Amino acid sequence: MTSKPLYALLLDVDGPVASPVTRTLAIDSIAADLVAMARAGVPFVFNTGRSDVFVARTVMPSLVAAGLPDDAVVLAVCEKGSTWFVPKPEHLDGAGDDLEVDERLRVPTGLVEFCRSIAPDFEDAMFFDATKKAMVSFEALHGIDLETYGRRQHEIEQRIWDFLAEQEIGVAWEDRTALNDSDDVALRIDPTIISTDVEHIGTGKQVGADKAVAYLAGVGITPREWRTLGDSRSDYAMADRLHERGFVVRHGDVRPADGRLERDYPVEVAPNDLTNDAAGAAFLARWRRDVECERPSATLAG
């Protein structure tokens, strides 16, 4: 039997769900609204650059505490599409053996070892994220001045750029690309406001969108509409892919000041200049009310 819920959710984690300041689910209504919608049959997929460990430790405990039902349809696509798992209560410290890894999207072992070796040179500003399985990430220390971090971030990215040139590995970094005597660009250095990711060029939020569609189809779910939520320009890629594939989609941008993009599908922002997880909470509260209009409100208590 095929289920056709009102919509399915495809959610970036950092920004719209987890606070980029505390890096926790700091707003209680976010978990409560997601759980309420899950009880009403709405599936949701986290589509994040974070690791499975972050999702298991930071996101899932709040959902479980809010009463996430055992039959909720939830998928976590991590590391920009290169790893994924179906969260379960036993995943308290990561997905473990249940984690799927796309070996084609792993960065070279030599790069991982190099980044780990230079991490101590930058420990005044950031730390090496040892929980990643397919990519390399450095994350800003909690509470660091962002101007200071930005300067150190650029320095470490330059070190990585130079290393990849020595290894003759093609790389893209912001508006620059270098083949470095290789046949193609294989890796991307991708800075955000709190981290730097070094990733396979084949990763991206569009990969998470494809995995989300495939997973729901595999469990017999065809949503009438997709609603996506993100805080960066790269997050539009998940809505772009769904639109390209012929799905009805609406995208919520929780940080439009970075540059709201024009698209052929609806792009919405939160009211009252809300941003990040405050904006994410506003979107989820409204989407929960949309479901309440379709189903008796008693089924949405949460």
Side-chain angles (χ1 to χ4, degrees):
M1 179 181 294
T2 300
S3 171
K4 293 184 178 293
L6 178 63
Y7 46 73
L9 306 182
L10 189 55
L11 310 170
D12 180 29
V13 173
D14 275 321
V17 175
S19 165
V21 177
T22 66
R23 302 172 206 183
T24 64
L25 261 69
I27 300 176
D28 291 341
S29 68
I30 289 177
D33 288 339
L34 284 173
V35 166
M37 287 187 280
R39 289 176 180 161
V42 173
F44 54 89
V45 178
F46 296 115
N47 189 15
T48 179
R50 289 287 193 175
S51 68
D52 62 297
V53 173
F54 183 88
V55 173
R57 290 177 180 173
T58 304
V59 179
M60 293 309 298
S62 294
L63 295 177
V64 171
L68 186 70
D70 292 339
D71 61 353
V73 179
V74 183
L75 178 70
V77 181
C78 306
E79 300 189 50
K80 301 182 183 177
S82 55
T83 69
W84 63 98
F85 72 109
V86 177
K88 298 176 183 177
E90 59 265 30
H91 294 145
L92 302 177
D93 201 35
D97 292 340
D98 292 327
L99 185 71
E100 300 284 348
V101 181
D102 189 333
E103 296 294 339
R104 300 168 301 173
L105 300 180
R106 280 189 192 269
V107 300
T109 301
L111 171 64
V112 179
E113 293 172 349
F114 170 76
C115 289
R116 194 187 300 272
S117 74
I118 66 172
D121 297 342
F122 296 89
E123 61 186 9
D124 60 308
M126 64 192 72
F127 63 90
F128 178 84
D129 185 350
T131 68
K132 296 294 180 72
K133 303 339 187 266
M135 60 194 290
V136 170
S137 293
F138 290 93
E139 184 172 337
L141 298 177
H142 288 225
I144 189 172
D145 173 74
L146 289 182
E147 183 176 345
T148 300
Y149 171 69
R151 183 176 65 255
R152 297 290 279 153
Q153 179 184 35
H154 183 83
E155 291 171 4
I156 198 170
E157 289 169 1
Q158 185 67 58
R159 290 273 295 274
I160 296 168
W161 172 274
D162 294 342
F163 170 80
L164 294 173
E166 293 171 2
Q167 300 299 309
E168 298 184 357
I169 297 174
V171 59
W173 178 26
E174 296 182 328
D175 59 351
R176 293 192 282 168
T177 58
L179 286 178
N180 299 327
D181 294 325
S182 61
D183 293 331
D184 55 23
V185 172
L187 301 178
R188 180 193 303 116
I189 301 172
D190 185 23
T192 74
I193 60 171
I194 61 169
S195 68
T196 291
D197 298 326
V198 189
E199 61 207 29
H200 190 283
I201 199 71
T203 62
K205 291 301 181 76
Q206 72 281 0
V207 181
D210 287 336
K211 284 184 164 53
V213 171
Y215 179 73
L216 293 193
V219 295
I221 296 176
T222 305
R224 284 171 273 171
E225 180 178 315
W226 282 90
R227 298 197 178 184
T228 62
L229 200 57
D231 71 333
S232 70
R233 303 324 89 192
S234 62
D235 286 321
Y236 281 73
M238 52 186 170
D240 290 346
R241 177 58 57 88
L242 292 168
H243 181 71
E244 290 167 4
R245 294 186 59 171
F247 293 100
V248 176
V249 60
R250 291 177 177 269
H251 182 64
D253 187 340
V254 305
R255 204 164 65 216
D258 285 2
R260 184 174 175 181
L261 303 183
E262 294 296 326
R263 288 294 188 264
D264 292 332
Y265 51 81
V267 176
E268 303 172 340
V269 299
N272 304 320
D273 297 323
L274 295 174
T275 60
N276 295 322
D277 53 333
F283 273 109
L284 293 173
R286 179 160 59 83
W287 295 347
R288 175 180 176 173
R289 290 193 295 271
D290 289 347
V291 178
E292 289 176 337
C293 291
E294 272 224 333
R295 298 171 62 95
S297 58
T299 67
L300 292 157

mmCIF file of all heavy atoms in Angstrom, residues 92-132:
data_model
loop_
_atom_site.group_PDB
_atom_site.id
_atom_site.type_symbol
_atom_site.label_atom_id
_atom_site.label_comp_id
_atom_site.label_asym_id
_atom_site.label_seq_id
_atom_site.Cartn_x
_atom_site.Cartn_y
_atom_site.Cartn_z
ATOM 1 N N LEU A 92 22.695 5.709 20.343
ATOM 2 C CA LEU A 92 22.944 6.771 21.310
ATOM 3 C C LEU A 92 24.245 7.507 21.052
ATOM 4 O O LEU A 92 24.426 8.633 21.513
ATOM 5 C CB LEU A 92 22.972 6.177 22.726
ATOM 6 C CG LEU A 92 21.714 5.436 23.176
ATOM 7 C CD1 LEU A 92 21.929 4.852 24.569
ATOM 8 C CD2 LEU A 92 20.511 6.370 23.157
ATOM 9 N N ASP A 93 25.146 6.863 20.308
ATOM 10 C CA ASP A 93 26.467 7.456 20.106
ATOM 11 C C ASP A 93 26.918 7.309 18.656
ATOM 12 O O ASP A 93 28.098 7.165 18.371
ATOM 13 C CB ASP A 93 27.483 6.791 21.039
ATOM 14 C CG ASP A 93 28.706 7.663 21.269
ATOM 15 O OD1 ASP A 93 28.552 8.897 21.319
ATOM 16 O OD2 ASP A 93 29.810 7.110 21.389
ATOM 17 N N GLY A 94 25.935 7.331 17.758
ATOM 18 C CA GLY A 94 26.232 7.136 16.350
ATOM 19 C C GLY A 94 25.562 5.893 15.816
ATOM 20 O O GLY A 94 25.044 5.067 16.572
ATOM 21 N N ALA A 95 25.577 5.748 14.504
ATOM 22 C CA ALA A 95 24.857 4.645 13.869
ATOM 23 C C ALA A 95 25.594 3.322 13.960
ATOM 24 O O ALA A 95 24.997 2.260 13.764
ATOM 25 C CB ALA A 95 24.596 4.988 12.406
ATOM 26 N N GLY A 96 26.888 3.362 14.250
ATOM 27 C CA GLY A 96 27.650 2.118 14.351
ATOM 28 C C GLY A 96 27.614 1.331 13.064
ATOM 29 O O GLY A 96 27.776 1.877 11.969
ATOM 30 N N ASP A 97 27.364 0.034 13.186
ATOM 31 C CA ASP A 97 27.364 -0.842 12.012
ATOM 32 C C ASP A 97 26.171 -0.596 11.097
ATOM 33 O O ASP A 97 26.142 -1.114 9.971
ATOM 34 C CB ASP A 97 27.363 -2.315 12.447
ATOM 35 C CG ASP A 97 28.674 -2.720 13.117
ATOM 36 O OD1 ASP A 97 29.677 -2.023 12.905
ATOM 37 O OD2 ASP A 97 28.671 -3.721 13.859
ATOM 38 N N ASP A 98 25.193 0.172 11.556
ATOM 39 C CA ASP A 98 24.032 0.470 10.717
ATOM 40 C C ASP A 98 24.284 1.627 9.760
ATOM 41 O O ASP A 98 23.423 1.939 8.924
ATOM 42 C CB ASP A 98 22.814 0.807 11.593
ATOM 43 C CG ASP A 98 22.320 -0.395 12.379
ATOM 44 O OD1 ASP A 98 22.426 -1.525 11.853
ATOM 45 O OD2 ASP A 98 21.837 -0.219 13.509
ATOM 46 N N LEU A 99 25.438 2.259 9.866
ATOM 47 C CA LEU A 99 25.748 3.381 8.983
ATOM 48 C C LEU A 99 26.119 2.874 7.597
ATOM 49 O O LEU A 99 26.964 1.991 7.439
ATOM 50 C CB LEU A 99 26.908 4.204 9.550
ATOM 51 C CG LEU A 99 27.242 5.485 8.769
ATOM 52 C CD1 LEU A 99 26.146 6.525 8.966
ATOM 53 C CD2 LEU A 99 28.589 6.052 9.188
ATOM 54 N N GLU A 100 25.475 3.441 6.586
ATOM 55 C CA GLU A 100 25.826 3.160 5.194
ATOM 56 C C GLU A 100 26.792 4.243 4.720
ATOM 57 O O GLU A 100 26.587 5.427 4.978
ATOM 58 C CB GLU A 100 24.579 3.166 4.314
ATOM 59 C CG GLU A 100 23.524 2.149 4.710
ATOM 60 C CD GLU A 100 23.891 0.742 4.285
ATOM 61 O OE1 GLU A 100 24.834 0.585 3.488
ATOM 62 O OE2 GLU A 100 23.231 -0.209 4.753
ATOM 63 N N VAL A 101 27.852 3.833 4.038
ATOM 64 C CA VAL A 101 28.852 4.767 3.525
ATOM 65 C C VAL A 101 29.026 4.531 2.035
ATOM 66 O O VAL A 101 29.250 3.391 1.600
ATOM 67 C CB VAL A 101 30.208 4.604 4.246
ATOM 68 C CG1 VAL A 101 31.226 5.606 3.701
ATOM 69 C CG2 VAL A 101 30.052 4.771 5.749
ATOM 70 N N ASP A 102 28.922 5.602 1.257
ATOM 71 C CA ASP A 102 29.176 5.512 -0.177
ATOM 72 C C ASP A 102 30.683 5.632 -0.391
ATOM 73 O O ASP A 102 31.252 6.724 -0.310
ATOM 74 C CB ASP A 102 28.445 6.633 -0.911
ATOM 75 C CG ASP A 102 28.481 6.472 -2.428
ATOM 76 O OD1 ASP A 102 29.433 5.842 -2.930
ATOM 77 O OD2 ASP A 102 27.576 6.994 -3.109
ATOM 78 N N GLU A 103 31.334 4.511 -0.640
ATOM 79 C CA GLU A 103 32.787 4.481 -0.753
ATOM 80 C C GLU A 103 33.293 5.371 -1.888
ATOM 81 O O GLU A 103 34.442 5.851 -1.855
ATOM 82 C CB GLU A 103 33.282 3.046 -0.945
ATOM 83 C CG GLU A 103 32.997 2.127 0.237
ATOM 84 C CD GLU A 103 33.774 2.525 1.490
ATOM 85 O OE1 GLU A 103 34.802 3.223 1.361
ATOM 86 O OE2 GLU A 103 33.345 2.137 2.597
ATOM 87 N N ARG A 104 32.467 5.595 -2.886
ATOM 88 C CA ARG A 104 32.881 6.438 -4.010
ATOM 89 C C ARG A 104 33.051 7.887 -3.589
ATOM 90 O O ARG A 104 33.708 8.665 -4.297
ATOM 91 C CB ARG A 104 31.841 6.359 -5.129
ATOM 92 C CG ARG A 104 31.614 4.963 -5.708
ATOM 93 C CD ARG A 104 30.390 4.937 -6.576
ATOM 94 N NE ARG A 104 29.191 5.332 -5.825
ATOM 95 C CZ ARG A 104 27.991 5.534 -6.367
ATOM 96 N NH1 ARG A 104 27.839 5.403 -7.674
ATOM 97 N NH2 ARG A 104 26.968 5.860 -5.620
ATOM 98 N N LEU A 105 32.462 8.259 -2.451
ATOM 99 C CA LEU A 105 32.474 9.648 -2.016
ATOM 100 C C LEU A 105 33.400 9.895 -0.835
ATOM 101 O O LEU A 105 33.356 10.955 -0.218
ATOM 102 C CB LEU A 105 31.043 10.100 -1.671
ATOM 103 C CG LEU A 105 30.027 10.032 -2.814
ATOM 104 C CD1 LEU A 105 28.656 10.509 -2.347
ATOM 105 C CD2 LEU A 105 30.490 10.854 -4.020
ATOM 106 N N ARG A 106 34.246 8.946 -0.505
ATOM 107 C CA ARG A 106 35.240 9.150 0.548
ATOM 108 C C ARG A 106 36.393 10.001 0.012
ATOM 109 O O ARG A 106 36.817 9.837 -1.134
ATOM 110 C CB ARG A 106 35.819 7.816 1.016
ATOM 111 C CG ARG A 106 34.979 7.031 1.998
ATOM 112 C CD ARG A 106 35.810 5.871 2.508
ATOM 113 N NE ARG A 106 35.067 4.887 3.249
ATOM 114 C CZ ARG A 106 34.898 4.907 4.572
ATOM 115 N NH1 ARG A 106 35.424 5.890 5.276
ATOM 116 N NH2 ARG A 106 34.215 3.954 5.179
ATOM 117 N N VAL A 107 36.928 10.875 0.857
ATOM 118 C CA VAL A 107 38.139 11.604 0.491
ATOM 119 C C VAL A 107 39.345 10.680 0.718
ATOM 120 O O VAL A 107 39.262 9.702 1.471
ATOM 121 C CB VAL A 107 38.288 12.907 1.306
ATOM 122 C CG1 VAL A 107 37.102 13.829 1.056
ATOM 123 C CG2 VAL A 107 38.439 12.620 2.801
ATOM 124 N N PRO A 108 40.486 10.957 0.084
ATOM 125 C CA PRO A 108 41.649 10.077 0.225
ATOM 126 C C PRO A 108 42.154 9.985 1.666
ATOM 127 O O PRO A 108 42.143 10.984 2.401
ATOM 128 C CB PRO A 108 42.700 10.734 -0.677
ATOM 129 C CG PRO A 108 41.915 11.561 -1.647
ATOM 130 C CD PRO A 108 40.708 12.030 -0.899
ATOM 131 N N THR A 109 42.614 8.809 2.033
ATOM 132 C CA THR A 109 43.143 8.604 3.381
ATOM 133 C C THR A 109 44.310 9.533 3.676
ATOM 134 O O THR A 109 44.451 10.040 4.798
ATOM 135 C CB THR A 109 43.587 7.142 3.548
ATOM 136 O OG1 THR A 109 42.469 6.276 3.311
ATOM 137 C CG2 THR A 109 44.129 6.886 4.941
ATOM 138 N N GLY A 110 45.140 9.788 2.673
ATOM 139 C CA GLY A 110 46.276 10.672 2.869
ATOM 140 C C GLY A 110 45.862 12.080 3.258
ATOM 141 O O GLY A 110 46.543 12.746 4.059
ATOM 142 N N LEU A 111 44.745 12.550 2.706
ATOM 143 C CA LEU A 111 44.231 13.874 3.066
ATOM 144 C C LEU A 111 43.770 13.892 4.520
ATOM 145 O O LEU A 111 44.035 14.847 5.262
ATOM 146 C CB LEU A 111 43.072 14.261 2.146
ATOM 147 C CG LEU A 111 42.301 15.521 2.548
ATOM 148 C CD1 LEU A 111 43.191 16.750 2.472
ATOM 149 C CD2 LEU A 111 41.059 15.695 1.681
ATOM 150 N N VAL A 112 43.079 12.844 4.936
ATOM 151 C CA VAL A 112 42.617 12.753 6.320
ATOM 152 C C VAL A 112 43.804 12.802 7.269
ATOM 153 O O VAL A 112 43.803 13.538 8.270
ATOM 154 C CB VAL A 112 41.791 11.470 6.549
ATOM 155 C CG1 VAL A 112 41.350 11.379 8.008
ATOM 156 C CG2 VAL A 112 40.588 11.423 5.617
ATOM 157 N N GLU A 113 44.825 12.030 6.961
ATOM 158 C CA GLU A 113 46.009 11.985 7.821
ATOM 159 C C GLU A 113 46.715 13.332 7.862
ATOM 160 O O GLU A 113 47.187 13.776 8.923
ATOM 161 C CB GLU A 113 46.958 10.896 7.327
ATOM 162 C CG GLU A 113 46.385 9.490 7.486
ATOM 163 C CD GLU A 113 47.230 8.428 6.818
ATOM 164 O OE1 GLU A 113 48.150 8.802 6.045
ATOM 165 O OE2 GLU A 113 46.983 7.232 7.050
ATOM 166 N N PHE A 114 46.799 14.016 6.711
ATOM 167 C CA PHE A 114 47.430 15.339 6.685
ATOM 168 C C PHE A 114 46.644 16.318 7.548
ATOM 169 O O PHE A 114 47.225 17.066 8.353
ATOM 170 C CB PHE A 114 47.513 15.859 5.250
ATOM 171 C CG PHE A 114 47.934 17.305 5.172
ATOM 172 C CD1 PHE A 114 49.261 17.656 5.362
ATOM 173 C CD2 PHE A 114 46.999 18.299 4.927
ATOM 174 C CE1 PHE A 114 49.645 19.005 5.306
ATOM 175 C CE2 PHE A 114 47.375 19.637 4.876
ATOM 176 C CZ PHE A 114 48.706 19.994 5.065
ATOM 177 N N CYS A 115 45.322 16.340 7.393
ATOM 178 C CA CYS A 115 44.496 17.284 8.160
ATOM 179 C C CYS A 115 44.588 16.999 9.659
ATOM 180 O O CYS A 115 44.647 17.926 10.476
ATOM 181 C CB CYS A 115 43.055 17.215 7.680
ATOM 182 S SG CYS A 115 42.814 17.939 6.032
ATOM 183 N N ARG A 116 44.614 15.734 10.014
ATOM 184 C CA ARG A 116 44.754 15.394 11.418
ATOM 185 C C ARG A 116 46.117 15.885 11.958
ATOM 186 O O ARG A 116 46.223 16.338 13.098
ATOM 187 C CB ARG A 116 44.614 13.886 11.613
ATOM 188 C CG ARG A 116 44.418 13.452 13.063
ATOM 189 C CD ARG A 116 44.469 11.936 13.177
ATOM 190 N NE ARG A 116 43.452 11.276 12.404
ATOM 191 C CZ ARG A 116 42.225 11.010 12.835
ATOM 192 N NH1 ARG A 116 41.867 11.369 14.065
ATOM 193 N NH2 ARG A 116 41.360 10.380 12.067
ATOM 194 N N SER A 117 47.130 15.819 11.114
ATOM 195 C CA SER A 117 48.475 16.199 11.556
ATOM 196 C C SER A 117 48.625 17.694 11.765
ATOM 197 O O SER A 117 49.426 18.131 12.607
ATOM 198 C CB SER A 117 49.518 15.706 10.544
ATOM 199 O OG SER A 117 49.506 16.493 9.361
ATOM 200 N N ILE A 118 47.880 18.506 11.020
ATOM 201 C CA ILE A 118 48.011 19.962 11.172
ATOM 202 C C ILE A 118 47.010 20.532 12.168
ATOM 203 O O ILE A 118 47.083 21.713 12.511
ATOM 204 C CB ILE A 118 47.875 20.692 9.818
ATOM 205 C CG1 ILE A 118 46.462 20.542 9.233
ATOM 206 C CG2 ILE A 118 48.936 20.211 8.839
ATOM 207 C CD1 ILE A 118 46.224 21.399 7.990
ATOM 208 N N ALA A 119 46.076 19.705 12.631
ATOM 209 C CA ALA A 119 45.053 20.191 13.564
ATOM 210 C C ALA A 119 45.640 20.887 14.785
ATOM 211 O O ALA A 119 45.127 21.933 15.213
ATOM 212 C CB ALA A 119 44.132 19.048 13.975
ATOM 213 N N PRO A 120 46.726 20.369 15.403
ATOM 214 C CA PRO A 120 47.271 21.057 16.585
ATOM 215 C C PRO A 120 47.731 22.479 16.308
ATOM 216 O O PRO A 120 47.741 23.316 17.222
ATOM 217 C CB PRO A 120 48.454 20.157 16.986
ATOM 218 C CG PRO A 120 48.087 18.803 16.484
ATOM 219 C CD PRO A 120 47.391 19.062 15.184
ATOM 220 N N ASP A 121 48.090 22.791 15.061
ATOM 221 C CA ASP A 121 48.533 24.143 14.722
ATOM 222 C C ASP A 121 47.389 25.157 14.775
ATOM 223 O O ASP A 121 47.640 26.366 14.795
ATOM 224 C CB ASP A 121 49.136 24.170 13.318
ATOM 225 C CG ASP A 121 50.384 23.310 13.195
ATOM 226 O OD1 ASP A 121 50.978 22.975 14.244
ATOM 227 O OD2 ASP A 121 50.754 22.966 12.052
ATOM 228 N N PHE A 122 46.152 24.672 14.798
ATOM 229 C CA PHE A 122 44.998 25.557 14.736
ATOM 230 C C PHE A 122 44.044 25.353 15.911
ATOM 231 O O PHE A 122 42.898 25.810 15.871
ATOM 232 C CB PHE A 122 44.253 25.335 13.413
ATOM 233 C CG PHE A 122 45.062 25.702 12.202
ATOM 234 C CD1 PHE A 122 45.892 24.764 11.590
ATOM 235 C CD2 PHE A 122 45.024 26.985 11.683
ATOM 236 C CE1 PHE A 122 46.655 25.102 10.483
ATOM 237 C CE2 PHE A 122 45.774 27.335 10.571
ATOM 238 C CZ PHE A 122 46.597 26.393 9.969
ATOM 239 N N GLU A 123 44.522 24.673 16.963
ATOM 240 C CA GLU A 123 43.621 24.353 18.068
ATOM 241 C C GLU A 123 43.222 25.577 18.889
ATOM 242 O O GLU A 123 42.348 25.480 19.741
ATOM 243 C CB GLU A 123 44.260 23.295 18.970
ATOM 244 C CG GLU A 123 45.550 23.703 19.609
ATOM 245 C CD GLU A 123 46.210 22.571 20.386
ATOM 246 O OE1 GLU A 123 45.743 21.424 20.283
ATOM 247 O OE2 GLU A 123 47.189 22.850 21.096
ATOM 248 N N ASP A 124 43.817 26.732 18.615
ATOM 249 C CA ASP A 124 43.383 27.974 19.254
ATOM 250 C C ASP A 124 42.048 28.456 18.692
ATOM 251 O O ASP A 124 41.363 29.274 19.309
ATOM 252 C CB ASP A 124 44.427 29.069 19.053
ATOM 253 C CG ASP A 124 44.661 29.377 17.578
ATOM 254 O OD1 ASP A 124 44.922 28.416 16.808
ATOM 255 O OD2 ASP A 124 44.582 30.556 17.197
ATOM 256 N N ALA A 125 41.655 27.922 17.506
ATOM 257 C CA ALA A 125 40.463 28.437 16.845
ATOM 258 C C ALA A 125 39.456 27.361 16.450
ATOM 259 O O ALA A 125 38.279 27.659 16.276
ATOM 260 C CB ALA A 125 40.867 29.224 15.595
ATOM 261 N N MET A 126 39.908 26.126 16.313
ATOM 262 C CA MET A 126 39.027 25.089 15.766
ATOM 263 C C MET A 126 39.498 23.717 16.217
ATOM 264 O O MET A 126 40.576 23.568 16.788
ATOM 265 C CB MET A 126 39.022 25.173 14.237
ATOM 266 C CG MET A 126 40.363 24.885 13.611
ATOM 267 S SD MET A 126 40.453 25.316 11.847
ATOM 268 C CE MET A 126 40.484 27.113 11.923
ATOM 269 N N PHE A 127 38.660 22.704 15.945
ATOM 270 C CA PHE A 127 39.045 21.329 16.244
ATOM 271 C C PHE A 127 38.739 20.428 15.064
ATOM 272 O O PHE A 127 37.837 20.706 14.258
ATOM 273 C CB PHE A 127 38.358 20.817 17.514
ATOM 274 C CG PHE A 127 36.854 20.737 17.430
ATOM 275 C CD1 PHE A 127 36.220 19.585 16.985
ATOM 276 C CD2 PHE A 127 36.065 21.821 17.800
ATOM 277 C CE1 PHE A 127 34.832 19.505 16.912
ATOM 278 C CE2 PHE A 127 34.675 21.757 17.730
ATOM 279 C CZ PHE A 127 34.060 20.599 17.284
ATOM 280 N N PHE A 128 39.499 19.369 14.964
ATOM 281 C CA PHE A 128 39.317 18.356 13.929
ATOM 282 C C PHE A 128 38.166 17.454 14.336
ATOM 283 O O PHE A 128 38.149 16.908 15.444
ATOM 284 C CB PHE A 128 40.605 17.552 13.776
ATOM 285 C CG PHE A 128 40.545 16.431 12.781
ATOM 286 C CD1 PHE A 128 40.752 16.675 11.439
ATOM 287 C CD2 PHE A 128 40.304 15.128 13.193
ATOM 288 C CE1 PHE A 128 40.716 15.641 10.512
ATOM 289 C CE2 PHE A 128 40.267 14.082 12.277
ATOM 290 C CZ PHE A 128 40.476 14.345 10.933
ATOM 291 N N ASP A 129 37.184 17.291 13.466
ATOM 292 C CA ASP A 129 36.015 16.468 13.773
ATOM 293 C C ASP A 129 36.314 15.009 13.442
ATOM 294 O O ASP A 129 36.208 14.588 12.282
ATOM 295 C CB ASP A 129 34.802 16.964 12.979
ATOM 296 C CG ASP A 129 33.521 16.232 13.352
ATOM 297 O OD1 ASP A 129 33.597 15.226 14.086
ATOM 298 O OD2 ASP A 129 32.444 16.650 12.903
ATOM 299 N N ALA A 130 36.665 14.256 14.454
ATOM 300 C CA ALA A 130 37.066 12.862 14.264
ATOM 301 C C ALA A 130 35.876 11.933 14.032
ATOM 302 O O ALA A 130 36.074 10.734 13.794
ATOM 303 C CB ALA A 130 37.858 12.386 15.477
ATOM 304 N N THR A 131 34.645 12.456 14.076
ATOM 305 C CA THR A 131 33.469 11.596 13.888
ATOM 306 C C THR A 131 33.100 11.416 12.418
ATOM 307 O O THR A 131 32.244 10.591 12.102
ATOM 308 C CB THR A 131 32.241 12.154 14.641
ATOM 309 O OG1 THR A 131 31.807 13.379 14.020
ATOM 310 C CG2 THR A 131 32.563 12.415 16.099
ATOM 311 N N LYS A 132 33.741 12.158 11.530
ATOM 312 C CA LYS A 132 33.405 12.049 10.111
ATOM 313 C C LYS A 132 33.995 10.765 9.520
ATOM 314 O O LYS A 132 35.118 10.377 9.835
ATOM 315 C CB LYS A 132 33.917 13.263 9.341
ATOM 316 C CG LYS A 132 33.271 14.599 9.751
ATOM 317 C CD LYS A 132 31.803 14.632 9.412
ATOM 318 C CE LYS A 132 31.127 15.937 9.798
ATOM 319 N NZ LYS A 132 31.489 17.066 8.944
#
